[in-house]
Amino acid sequence: ARVNEGLAILESCNYNIEPDLTFVYGIFGDKKIVAQINIKQKLVMVSEAVKNESLFEVVTMLIEENEHYKTGFKDCSRNFQQHFINLFTKEILSKNEVRL
């Protein structure tokens, strides 16, 4: 239910979650991990602990896993970090109609 709420919020914000992705729920290894993606299987494994997270955390998790899928970049990598810096910068510039 929390994931569906998050997906609805992102859709209303015109953020596109890749339609190929499937979400499954359960307990997957480290209990501190809220979600992880298997890119080859197009599978986002969402921990049952997500029910204890705020809706903000759910939305950020959905964006993170979706961006992992889109880019193929791994957690804690410079490429993934730069990808988010670029997304954030483009959003700020676009919102203010700045073209570089």
Side-chain angles (χ1 to χ4, degrees):
R2 300 290 282 169
V3 168
N4 289 337
E5 288 179 75
L7 291 170
I9 288 168
L10 289 171
E11 184 177 338
S12 74
C13 295
N14 295 317
Y15 177 80
N16 181 43
I17 294 287
E18 294 294 321
D20 309 0
L21 291 176
T22 301
F23 296 87
V24 295
Y25 305 90
I27 299 170
F28 307 101
D30 188 340
K31 292 180 182 174
K32 292 177 280 191
I33 295 175
V34 176
Q36 60 188 23
I37 189 165
N38 181 316
I39 292 174
K40 289 180 184 173
Q41 293 181 356
K42 302 175 184 176
L43 190 66
V44 178
M45 297 168 284
V46 180
S47 168
E48 291 178 350
V50 78
K51 65 185 173 220
N52 299 321
E53 299 292 330
S54 70
L55 198 48
F56 181 83
E57 292 295 326
V58 171
V59 169
T60 61
M61 173 273 295
L62 291 168
I63 292 171
E64 179 182 2
E65 301 310 325
N66 190 58
E67 294 299 323
H68 276 303
Y69 179 72
K70 287 169 56 176
T71 65
F73 298 146
K74 297 185 184 316
D75 271 336
C76 304
S77 71
R78 179 66 185 136
N79 286 338
F80 199 56
Q81 179 183 6
Q82 189 63 51
H83 173 70
F84 271 101
I85 292 167
N86 291 350
L87 281 177
F88 182 71
T89 303
K90 287 175 185 175
E91 184 65 26
I92 290 172
L93 296 176
S94 175
K95 182 188 259 186
N96 291 284
E97 298 180 6
V98 174
R99 309 235 187 290
L100 300 178

